[in-house]
Amino acid sequence: MQPNPVSESAFPDSLSGLIERVTFFNEETGFAVLKVKAKGQRDLVTVIGSVPSANAGEWLTAQGRWVRDREHGLQLKAESLQCSAPTTREGIEKYLGSGMVKGIGPVYAAKLVAQFGESIFDVIENCSARLEEVDGIGPGRRRKIKDAWAEQKAIRNIMVFLHSHGVSTSRAVRIYKTYGDTAIEQVQSNPYRLALDIVGIGFKTADQIAQHLGVPPDSLLRATAGLRHVLLEAAGQGHCALPVDALLDAAGQLLLVPSGIIQTALERSLSMKELVDETINGDRWIYTPQLSQAEQEIAQRVQRLAAAPPAYPVIEFEKAVAWCQEKTGTVLAPSQRAALQQALTHRFLIITGGPGVGKTTLVNAILKILRAKKVRCLLCAPTGRAAKRLSESTGLPAQTIHRLLEAKGRSGFERNEHNPLACDLLVVDESSMIDVPLMSHLLRALPKSSGLILVGDIDQLPSVGPGLVLRDLIDSGAARVVRLTEVFRQAAHSKIITAAHQINQGQMPDLPEGESDFYFIDRKDPEAIAKTLMEVMRQRIPARFQLDPIRDIQLLSPMNRGSLGVYELNAQLQDLLNPLPPGGPEIERFGWKFRPGDKVIQTENNYDKEVFNGDIGQIARLDLEEQELIVRYDQREVAYSFGELDELSLAYAITIHKAQGSEFPAVVMPLATQHYLLLQRNLVYTGITRGKKLVVLIGQPKALGMAIRNNKTEQRYSGLLWRLKQTPS
């Protein structure tokens, strides 16, 4: 016999019951759709509302009003929801088996409840040694369960605290890991520290908490935090500092308080050395102390380095060249010979040039000759992919800069002036990607007698971080610079390289017919572009070029938002290339759905895991019991707890900025006039030069023309160029 259908009149405006399952939960907003076994009801009841967290098995109390949704039927739209730990054996087993505690899945949940009944929570918290009475639980699993229980309890308290102040709870895990058990007390004492310490929490969220806690809008604490926030936002856009008037104007628009309060906050920050003011080119600029110090260190160390003679053994140039050419079977062009001589006779050299101009051949010749003279050489690059490519092209080990300097988290690097690198020459590839803070650390770790060679393409996009280091070093005249311009015959056969140079010179590239490694597919509108993108990535390229659509093909977009932006394209490509099988595992966190097999990218430096911003990997598996997602980077597996997934994004499509330093077998790029704010020559040039075997542009010829004509160089507030031109002290 079928149960009676639920009717609107059957319910009061409140209910309580057991959460049978969590149909949907948004980590960012706390919005939940819950199926509840309510008292006196035979059917499960749907409850929707906002809650810090929800787990199957918890006891729910809800107040609200009943609505009949056209698609989903009768629902309680809750104005307040409260979840509490379950008290029945059924609820406890469901709760523990939901995966909310690491180390306990459905099997162990059943065993634990069978052994300890309703007292299991007390056993875990107060006498966890008894857990070992359960078959299969040893000391290791017992400690894991106890620690996970304590962590979950603390995180729940943080969630409730944040939620009570109108803030989403998705960052609660990171707040707990940063501040520990004193998290709530620390946030209450100065909520603005959240914006400095917690990835994903900005000034506006911290300000919202501060206002709920009663911090006045015109307080100096708020104004001081606002000034620092404006400078940090500027650093995210590539600036090392801001002119004082620009800083005050931006802070005024953010804070909406009288200018006198902001001026007082600035004077206080300067007097306490929380901010630094300097006169650069006759203008007053405001820096954070870290970026001011980094610029000064780069300028001082570069000037000393460039003025010093090399410490290499005596080398007879003509003999060395003849020996090198015989060993490698490669004859150096006149431009490469001249550059080689500069490298052997100067302590600091910059080698720049586009694709196919022989940078790799030159670097190999330098290394061949110097290593034969027992010169100790180290090689590095900003990203893992760039380091791997450098190692493949030279046959020598190469590391990321962070690994070379032995990164140790926020506290800096193990390698510095007191513990320098063990080398006589350091070669750094993809140097256009290096920002001011990283270059400062690199130079500090360089031994006093060591040489330095920076290799990079000055016409690519500048670093994502603050400054224009490579451009400023070249423009200052402080360093010896070799510009390679001759495209060698073998490289000239590649239409990718030919097109890149044509674009870099402001010309529309030749669009070849027939077989090629460079194609432009003309499509008139964004919808047609997106449709062709999917078809090309799923069918055309894999079939014609025998390339794996996930591993070998990289879609690069100029922007994140919009119908041809990274977010939208990733969602489509995930369903197209890695559909979720029936009953397959999937976890949704921080706006992304993650599945085994997904291509993902690390979006920030994680020194503990030794994965860095821009590293691309593939999800190997999801462990719902341990609440872990495991990503394979090359041959190494890295585990992420579900609360750390804000460090990952899907990577079927990434921005061109994120692709810097990487090379892919095939690159596909959409180009549309809707991207007009970002259509720049160096952007398209950088994207095209990421493709190794194949580049396919899909879009409007007008958009490509707009990008090629737009050669405005990015202006950034950085005092490095000015400092480099000053007379060394």
Side-chain angles (χ1 to χ4, degrees):
M1 181 173 134
Q2 294 295 321
N4 292 327
V6 175
S7 65
E8 271 181 80
S9 60
F11 293 100
D13 289 333
S14 64
L15 65 77
S16 57
L18 188 74
I19 299 177
E20 190 70 23
R21 66 176 180 272
V22 180
T23 303
F24 176 80
F25 181 68
N26 187 309
E27 291 272 336
E28 294 291 327
T29 63
F31 177 76
V33 179
L34 310 172
K35 291 291 187 180
V36 178
K37 186 185 289 184
K39 282 184 177 178
Q41 297 302 324
R42 298 165 66 186
D43 293 340
L44 294 180
V45 178
T46 301
V47 179
I48 59 173
S50 189
V51 67
S53 69
N55 294 283
E58 290 182 317
W59 189 259
L60 177 81
T61 305
Q63 286 84 36
R65 59 188 177 85
W66 291 98
V67 297
R68 188 172 292 282
D69 183 84
R70 186 174 297 174
E71 187 176 345
H72 300 291
L74 193 66
Q75 301 174 334
L76 180 70
K77 191 172 184 180
E79 291 162 9
S80 72
L81 285 176
Q82 285 187 319
C83 297
S84 56
T87 54
T88 66
R89 292 173 73 100
E90 177 193 6
I92 291 169
E93 184 175 329
K94 194 175 289 293
Y95 181 65
L96 289 175
S98 68
M100 60 85 62
V101 179
K102 287 182 185 177
I104 303 178
V107 173
Y108 280 108
K111 288 183 178 181
L112 288 166
V113 172
Q115 180 80 11
F116 301 110
E118 291 87 344
S119 63
I120 179 58
F121 296 155
D122 183 63
V123 170
I124 295 173
E125 193 155 344
N126 299 312
C127 44
S128 64
R130 290 194 62 197
L131 295 175
E132 294 183 38
E133 297 172 17
V134 174
D135 182 43
I137 297 181
R141 185 175 289 271
R142 187 255 302 171
R143 280 193 299 271
K144 182 183 286 187
I145 292 171
K146 182 177 174 60
D147 292 346
W149 179 262
E151 183 176 299
Q152 278 297 325
K153 191 174 178 182
I155 290 169
R156 171 64 68 91
N157 290 337
I158 296 168
M159 283 180 166
V160 172
F161 169 76
L162 292 174
H163 211 67
S164 68
H165 294 293
V167 179
S168 69
T169 56
S170 59
R171 311 289 170 183
V173 173
R174 196 165 292 283
I175 293 171
Y176 172 72
K177 289 188 180 297
T178 302
Y179 301 139
D181 293 332
T182 63
I184 293 175
E185 292 89 333
Q186 293 203 49
V187 173
Q188 286 175 324
S189 66
N190 181 8
Y192 293 105
R193 67 183 301 163
L194 285 169
L196 294 177
D197 297 339
I198 309 299
V199 173
I201 293 185
F203 174 82
K204 290 183 178 178
T205 300
D207 198 33
Q208 184 179 337
I209 296 173
Q211 289 181 36
H212 271 266
L213 290 171
V215 177
D218 59 353
S219 72
L220 280 180
L221 177 67
R222 180 172 184 261
T224 301
L227 286 168
R228 189 170 182 89
H229 168 73
V230 170
L231 282 175
L232 291 175
E233 285 283 294
Q237 295 164 8
H239 303 293
C240 293
L242 284 177
V244 65
D245 290 341
L247 172 62
L248 293 172
D249 287 347
Q253 292 176 33
L254 174 73
L255 298 168
L256 300 175
V257 297
S259 59
I261 294 171
I262 301 173
Q263 186 68 50
T264 302
L266 176 59
E267 290 166 4
R268 179 182 173 185
S269 297
L270 292 171
S271 68
M272 296 179 70
K273 295 184 168 45
E274 293 171 351
L275 300 178
V276 176
D277 66 339
E278 294 195 60
T279 301
I280 306 291
N281 272 331
D283 296 321
R284 187 186 179 207
W285 287 8
I286 308 297
Y287 282 83
T288 60
Q290 297 83 356
L291 284 173
S292 172
Q293 181 64 31
E295 282 191 355
Q296 292 176 48
E297 285 216 341
I298 294 171
Q300 292 165 4
R301 291 179 184 277
V302 162
Q303 287 167 342
R304 285 201 297 268
L305 189 64
Y312 308 138
V314 176
I315 296 170
E316 293 184 44
F317 183 70
E318 292 300 334
K319 275 189 177 180
V321 171
W323 173 83
C324 178
Q325 292 183 152
E326 183 184 346
K327 287 287 184 185
T328 61
T330 302
V331 177
L332 298 177
S335 59
Q336 292 173 317
R337 287 173 63 98
L340 177 60
Q341 190 159 24
Q342 299 277 6
L344 299 178
T345 54
H346 289 85
R347 178 74 67 86
F348 180 28
L349 182 70
I350 297 173
I351 300 170
T352 187
V357 296
K359 296 192 296 293
T360 300
T361 301
L362 173 58
V363 169
N364 277 332
I366 295 167
L367 292 170
K368 192 84 175 171
I369 291 170
L370 289 178
R371 292 182 75 242
K373 292 288 185 178
K374 308 300 182 188
V375 173
R376 297 172 302 163
C377 302
L378 286 177
L379 282 66
C380 65
T383 67
R385 282 176 175 259
K388 185 178 180 182
R389 197 169 70 248
L390 179 62
S391 180
E392 289 169 351
S393 65
T394 60
L396 300 172
Q399 301 177 73
T400 63
I401 297 174
H402 285 88
R403 287 199 177 95
L404 181 77
L405 297 181
E406 298 173 24
K408 56 176 184 177
R410 288 178 180 244
S411 54
F413 298 88
E414 293 288 352
R415 294 288 183 173
N416 51 40
E417 62 269 47
H418 307 299
N419 181 28
L421 298 166
C423 66
D424 305 307
L425 171 66
L426 178 64
V427 177
V428 188
D429 200 9
E430 295 286 357
S431 298
S432 63
M433 295 181 65
I434 303 177
D435 60 22
V436 162
L438 191 56
M439 180 57 79
S440 169
H441 287 296
L442 194 63
L443 290 171
R444 284 177 60 192
L446 193 71
K448 289 184 178 179
S449 59
S450 177
L452 175 65
I453 295 177
L454 300 181
V455 185
D457 186 346
I458 194 60
D459 294 316
Q460 285 189 24
L461 290 167
S463 61
V464 174
L468 292 162
V469 174
L470 186 62
R471 185 174 296 281
D472 287 347
L473 288 172
I474 292 173
D475 291 347
S476 69
R480 183 69 58 161
V481 179
V482 166
R483 295 177 186 268
L484 299 176
T485 57
E486 180 186 354
V487 179
F488 289 95
R489 191 166 52 231
Q490 186 177 358
H493 290 305
S494 167
K495 298 302 180 186
I496 296 173
I497 290 175
T498 304
H501 283 278
Q502 288 173 323
I503 287 169
N504 201 31
Q505 291 158 17
Q507 304 167 12
M508 283 290 282
D510 296 330
L511 302 177
E513 297 178 2
E515 290 298 318
S516 177
D517 58 1
F518 177 79
Y519 295 91
F520 187 97
I521 301 175
D522 188 341
R523 292 293 182 268
K524 299 302 181 191
D525 59 74
E527 188 177 324
I529 294 171
K531 183 179 178 183
T532 305
L533 281 173
M534 301 300 137
E535 184 185 330
V536 162
M537 290 194 66
R538 186 185 185 187
Q539 297 169 336
R540 289 202 215 174
I541 293 177
R544 187 166 174 182
F545 297 93
Q546 285 73 56
L547 294 175
D548 182 275
I550 295 178
R551 188 180 61 249
D552 299 329
I553 307 172
Q554 186 60 58
L555 197 155
L556 303 181
S557 175
M559 63 199 305
N560 282 308
R561 304 287 178 185
S563 62
L564 294 175
V566 162
Y567 296 131
E568 180 63 30
L569 292 173
N570 263 315
Q572 293 182 43
L573 286 167
Q574 181 185 44
D575 287 337
L576 187 74
L577 302 178
N578 189 34
L580 182 67
E586 180 181 71
I587 184 76
E588 184 170 355
R589 289 290 188 278
F590 306 102
W592 296 108
K593 293 177 181 176
F594 296 105
R595 305 165 184 166
D598 275 338
K599 187 178 187 178
V600 292
I601 184 169
Q602 177 79 14
T603 57
E604 62 182 83
N605 293 333
N606 187 317
Y607 303 95
D608 296 329
K609 297 184 191 298
E610 290 195 349
V611 286
F612 301 102
N613 192 352
D615 287 354
I616 293 177
Q618 197 165 5
I619 297 176
R621 58 191 179 277
L622 269 174
D623 190 328
L624 299 178
E625 182 172 307
E626 297 295 327
Q627 293 185 55
E628 284 186 338
L629 179 152
I630 292 84
V631 179
R632 185 179 297 109
Y633 295 100
D634 292 327
Q635 302 305 311
R636 195 167 68 97
E637 289 193 346
V638 176
Y640 295 80
S641 70
F642 288 170
E644 296 174 318
L645 295 181
D646 55 343
E647 296 182 16
L648 291 178
S649 298
L650 293 181
Y652 300 101
I654 61 175
T655 62
I656 297 170
H657 280 88
K658 285 286 187 190
Q660 280 181 271
S662 296
E663 211 175 54
F664 309 96
V667 161
V668 179
M669 285 173 54
L671 284 175
T673 52
Q674 69 171 229
H675 297 147
Y676 70 95
L677 289 173
L678 291 168
L679 288 176
Q680 294 178 328
R681 185 186 300 176
N682 61 356
L683 188 86
V684 176
Y685 171 77
T686 301
I688 287 173
T689 54
R690 300 307 89 203
K692 191 174 182 181
K693 298 177 181 176
L694 178 68
V695 172
V696 180
L697 306 184
I698 304 172
Q700 301 154 335
K702 181 181 178 182
L704 179 58
M706 287 168 63
I708 292 170
R709 288 190 297 274
N710 183 7
N711 195 32
K712 292 177 184 174
T713 54
E714 187 176 351
Q715 296 302 309
R716 294 184 172 185
Y717 290 111
S718 168
L720 180 58
L721 179 60
W722 178 82
R723 297 182 204 275
L724 286 165
K725 288 183 174 181
Q726 304 307 299
T727 304
S729 54

